Amino acid sequence: MIENTLWHPVAQSHEVLQDAPLSVQLLDQPVVLWRNNEGAVQAFVDRCPHRGARLSMGRVENGHLECPYHGWQFASGGQCVKVPAVPDFVPPATQRVKAFDVQEAYGLVWVWLEQGEAATELPRFVGEEDAHLRKVNCGPYDVAASAPRIIENFLDMSHFGFVHEGWLGSRDATAMATYKVENTATGVLATGCKAVQPQSNLHSTQAAEVEYTYEVTAPYTAVLTKIPEEGSSKQGWREAIGLFICPLTADTSRVWFRLAVADFESTDAQLREFQHTIFVQDQPVLESQLPKALPLDPRAEMHSVADRMSSAYRRYLKASGITFGVC
């Protein structure tokens, strides 16, 4: 499955503690996360190879992950190092739990369901590279929708006047201006995306036309970049919102947003509340969509010229060989 060759976010970094394991799920696979004595995150299959107990029910003991059933201990990398019932036994190299590669980035823990040299790099979030921008994570949101459906919704501006009426759009300004779509080395890019929005951010006091770029940087990752209005106080600032999705199952997902903003006045809670307001307007619509999986056959659903970006995203998924969350 091509999805196994990709990096996926599974938890926020601060959730993975040094004294207790954390249970997560990715692509139908139960995974246990924990930190060793050096603070490095480890990711194992959440099943003890001895008698199949959930390792996430155990604890971290002396820098090793201990099974809750018989106390077998596993070191970083998965090697069994202790069998309490046989104290003098030295476990051979074959006695180990399957381990996965892990990275921490954007305030999240990312897992690749293999070990060795990853076939792909971590998705890039351009806002992270601007040290002047303030970074805040929002979420997680558990959504009864497939990851591709959620990405496609994020890329779609023509729903603003209906789902986000009074916030990101209005019913009397729903016409979509022409925008450009092109393929990139890592996905799809849309530029010149314009919309009239009653309140595009916390500090908006009147409706204004905004311009965005949208970029898909991996099958389940997308980035929105806001182009500052000419003459505005934020001229030169390019704020960004990253959407990072963990595909739990084919039709359920865990969602995080990462904000990279020039707003230094609002509190973290206020920034998160604004993003929360927008996403909880999307969530019931997303969860109502049928089929749950995103159709890649262009004949399966109807399209208009306003859907150029979502249509390009579907073609990208098909060309990438994605099968999880699509049909």
Side-chain angles (χ1 to χ4, degrees):
M1 186 167 67
I2 192 69
E3 291 81 1
N4 283 359
T5 69
L6 306 174
W7 288 97
H8 301 280
V10 294
Q12 295 190 88
S13 288
H14 69 78
E15 296 178 293
V16 187
L17 307 177
Q18 205 156 357
D19 59 355
L22 177 69
S23 172
V24 297
Q25 184 169 316
L26 171 61
L27 297 168
D28 284 325
Q29 171 69 63
V31 176
V32 57
L33 304 177
W34 61 286
R35 290 187 188 273
N36 62 20
N37 281 341
E38 290 71 45
V41 180
Q42 306 294 306
F44 295 168
V45 167
D46 195 4
R47 181 178 62 84
C48 181
H50 176 222
R51 289 295 181 266
R54 282 287 183 100
L55 290 170
S56 57
M57 296 172 60
R59 64 182 185 177
V60 179
E61 184 75 13
N62 297 322
H64 302 140
L65 181 60
E66 184 180 274
C67 175
Y69 197 5
H70 298 93
W72 284 34
Q73 291 186 5
F74 300 89
S76 301
Q79 176 64 44
C80 179
V81 293
K82 183 177 181 180
V83 178
V86 192
D88 297 328
F89 176 63
V90 177
T94 54
Q95 288 198 333
R96 59 190 310 111
V97 61
K98 184 175 175 61
F100 306 125
D101 276 1
V102 186
Q103 292 190 64
E104 292 188 75
Y106 318 137
L108 300 171
V109 174
W110 297 73
V111 170
W112 172 51
L113 290 180
E114 295 293 342
Q115 263 194 322
E117 186 176 349
T120 58
E121 296 182 351
L122 207 65
R124 182 183 175 212
F125 177 44
V126 65
E128 200 72 20
E129 301 164 12
D130 189 338
H132 297 95
L133 294 176
R134 174 184 177 189
K135 317 302 190 306
V136 178
N137 276 13
C138 307
Y141 295 93
D142 286 342
V143 187
S146 66
R149 283 285 195 191
I150 299 170
I151 291 289
E152 186 175 81
N153 172 77
F154 184 74
L155 304 174
D156 183 295
M157 298 182 73
S158 61
H159 75 283
F160 285 178
F162 304 96
V163 179
H164 306 298
E165 186 176 11
W167 293 86
L168 303 185
S170 61
R171 288 174 179 265
D172 57 357
T174 57
M176 286 283 295
T178 301
Y179 59 93
K180 181 181 178 181
V181 178
E182 57 189 301
N183 296 324
T184 69
T186 57
V188 189
L189 173 69
T191 54
C193 305
K194 297 181 179 181
V196 175
Q197 297 186 334
Q199 185 170 352
S200 61
N201 60 60
L202 273 174
H203 304 292
S204 297
T205 57
Q206 60 185 10
E209 183 179 70
V210 298
E211 181 178 347
Y212 296 139
T213 66
Y214 288 93
E215 184 173 10
V216 174
T217 57
Y220 308 132
T221 301
V223 178
L224 177 159
T225 303
K226 185 175 181 180
I227 311 300
E229 299 170 45
E230 189 172 347
S232 74
S233 60
K234 294 181 180 178
Q235 188 71 29
W237 298 84
R238 293 177 69 90
E239 298 180 310
I241 300 175
L243 171 62
F244 304 117
I245 303 178
C246 174
L248 302 174
T249 69
D251 56 16
T252 60
S253 307
R254 182 159 293 161
V255 174
W256 292 271
F257 295 93
R258 185 160 178 83
L259 312 182
V261 297
D263 182 350
F264 300 100
E265 302 168 12
S266 305
T267 64
D268 286 0
Q270 288 172 319
L271 291 172
R272 290 187 178 114
E273 181 59 30
F274 182 83
Q275 190 62 41
H276 176 79
T277 297
I278 301 302
F279 188 69
V280 296
Q281 293 170 345
D282 283 315
Q283 186 167 353
V285 178
L286 282 165
E287 294 182 336
S288 78
Q289 288 181 281
L290 295 174
K292 290 288 188 182
L294 183 69
L296 298 189
D297 183 340
R299 300 165 297 180
E301 294 183 329
M302 296 181 182
H303 312 276
S304 78
V305 293
D307 302 316
R308 284 192 304 279
M309 182 54 167
S310 61
S311 295
Y313 172 59
R314 294 184 184 200
R315 291 192 297 271
Y316 157 70
L317 292 179
K318 188 171 184 177
S320 300
I322 295 296
T323 59
F324 203 81
V326 301
C327 62

